[in-house]
Amino acid sequence: MAQDTAQAPPAPSAPARALLPLILPALVVGVGASLLLVGVSEAAEELQKVLWQTVPDALGVGRYSVLWMLVMLTATGVAVGLVVWKVPGHAGPDPATTGLDAPVLPPVVLPGLVLAAGLTLAGGPSLGPENPIIAVNVGLAFWLGHRLFRRAPGALWAVLAEAATIGALFGTPVAAALVISEALAGRHLPGALWDSVFAPLVAAAAGALTTTLVARPSFDLHLPALGPPGWADLLAALVVASLAALLGMTAVYAFPYVHGAFARLGHPMLALPAGGLVLGLLAALGGHLTLFKGLDEIAELARDPDGWSAAQFATMTVVKLAALLVAASCGFRGGRIFPAVFVGTAFGLGAHALVPAVQPALGVAAGVLGVLLAITRQGWVSLFTAAVLVVSPTILALLCVASLPAWLLVTGRPQMQLRADGTPLR
């Protein structure tokens, strides 16, 4: 039977001589991006120890007493507010308008953005390092790349820096490959897909290996192993992921309203201290585990999945989600992925506490998947992050199925990112 249409020939691959010159720039960007991430993270951790251990111990105040949490988070708002107000570049654009796809910022903006991000990480607001560090790496790569590798195309540097930073954040280039493939979906590429991702993957691999050698990150929560899945596990994954996605969407829908409320204060020295005070009140309600970006805290939760009641997990889930919403709305510089992981982890463990038949590993993975789908709208990254938290050969198939109804609940709806006029992206 004759075919009505002729199949289009595959796109020709680029010759190796066109890709080889990209390896050196990609390696340089990958190593540099990783070292900046590790440097900022380590400096923030040292400052965190001073602020949350050394100083309160010297003053005779409880490290995580209500008084100290209120003082520290408000003071962090004042410190970041001063940076946004007075430092050249004002620590970059409003973080509510930015995502992982960072704009190329002028060099004068980058020191203030690094300082604001470091203070945010150390002071306790519920944000991670990803968005500001990606933006700083993109700006540095673009600025230095034009001077060291003049023949390379300008657009290359942003792609390399983003891929390198994502690889460094997760300690594997797989995460960067998934983000890149999702970004390239639907675009008309001049050659084969692997020609387009070749240099970014080199940068991501260099960033991941550098981070692994220097910092040795690990995302495995060492939860009880998930056995051979049954129908009950499939049902649990579907329900937990869908409910977690709905929970995440409550923050997404509230985002423009909360952001607008802080924007009406009209000045960073009003909005950020006010946001810090609100975060201190939330921390007083949810406890010290709801502070900071959340990775160390989810490890503490996972060490004893049965150590809290369903009500306690529910409280931590709601408080952390509210803290993420406030911190992202009032002007603190940081990303939303890692605190969203805490929200999903607490939600999943709460599901296990409420219904013991929901295995902890499955509850955590499905909860993280649902919340991340709502908060980030990055399908592959959500699947990847949920899977790496639970090292199990059977979890990925369950997560792929559970992602389908969860995605239907979030796709086409507002995103947790605003335009310059304050309206949400879709």
Side-chain angles (χ1 to χ4, degrees), residues 85-391:
W85 179 28
K86 289 295 187 180
V87 173
H90 306 291
D94 183 351
T97 65
T98 62
L100 293 180
D101 186 12
V104 178
L105 301 175
V108 69
V109 178
L110 306 184
L113 182 54
V114 170
L115 179 58
L119 291 171
T120 298
L121 291 172
S126 294
L127 292 173
E130 59 273 17
N131 287 18
I133 298 301
I134 288 175
V136 171
N137 280 332
V138 166
L140 285 175
F142 188 86
W143 182 63
L144 293 174
H146 275 294
R147 286 155 177 77
L148 300 178
F149 302 93
R150 295 183 180 275
R151 294 184 179 180
L156 173 68
W157 301 109
V159 177
L160 292 182
E162 288 178 10
T165 310
I166 293 171
L169 279 164
F170 290 95
T172 170
V174 175
L178 295 174
V179 172
I180 295 167
S181 65
E182 196 162 7
L184 294 177
R187 296 186 186 180
H188 177 70
L189 301 176
L193 174 64
W194 277 93
D195 293 338
S196 298
V197 303
F198 178 82
L201 280 182
V202 173
L209 287 173
T210 302
T211 302
T212 300
L213 292 172
V214 173
R216 301 187 182 278
S218 175
F219 290 89
D220 182 11
L221 295 180
H222 303 288
L223 289 163
L226 180 67
W231 291 109
D233 295 316
L234 177 60
L235 177 61
L238 291 167
V239 172
V240 172
S242 298
L243 291 177
L246 289 174
L247 176 66
M249 287 304 300
T250 63
V252 174
Y253 276 107
F255 190 45
Y257 300 101
V258 178
H259 178 268
F262 283 109
R264 280 192 287 274
L265 295 177
H267 197 284
M269 285 304 294
L270 295 175
L272 280 155
L277 176 61
V278 174
L279 291 175
L281 294 171
L282 287 170
L285 178 63
H288 74 279
L289 290 179
T290 59
L291 293 170
F292 308 109
K293 64 184 179 183
L295 286 186
D296 293 336
E297 289 71 27
I298 64 171
E300 186 170 343
L301 291 180
R303 277 195 288 270
D304 187 11
D306 299 309
W308 291 267
S309 67
Q312 289 173 311
F313 279 123
T315 300
M316 286 188 283
T317 299
V318 173
V319 167
K320 187 68 173 184
L321 186 62
L324 167 59
L325 175 61
V326 171
S329 299
C330 69
F332 286 108
R333 270 46 178 176
R336 303 161 198 141
I337 291 179
F338 293 135
V341 169
F342 180 98
V343 175
T345 300
F347 184 87
L349 291 177
H352 165 70
L354 187 64
V355 183
V358 178
Q359 300 185 60
L362 180 61
V364 166
V368 169
L369 172 65
V371 173
L372 282 180
L373 283 174
I375 299 297
T376 71
R377 220 56 59 87
Q378 297 271 348
W380 285 123
V381 169
S382 301
L383 271 170
F384 171 81
T385 306
V388 298
L389 294 174
V390 181
V391 179

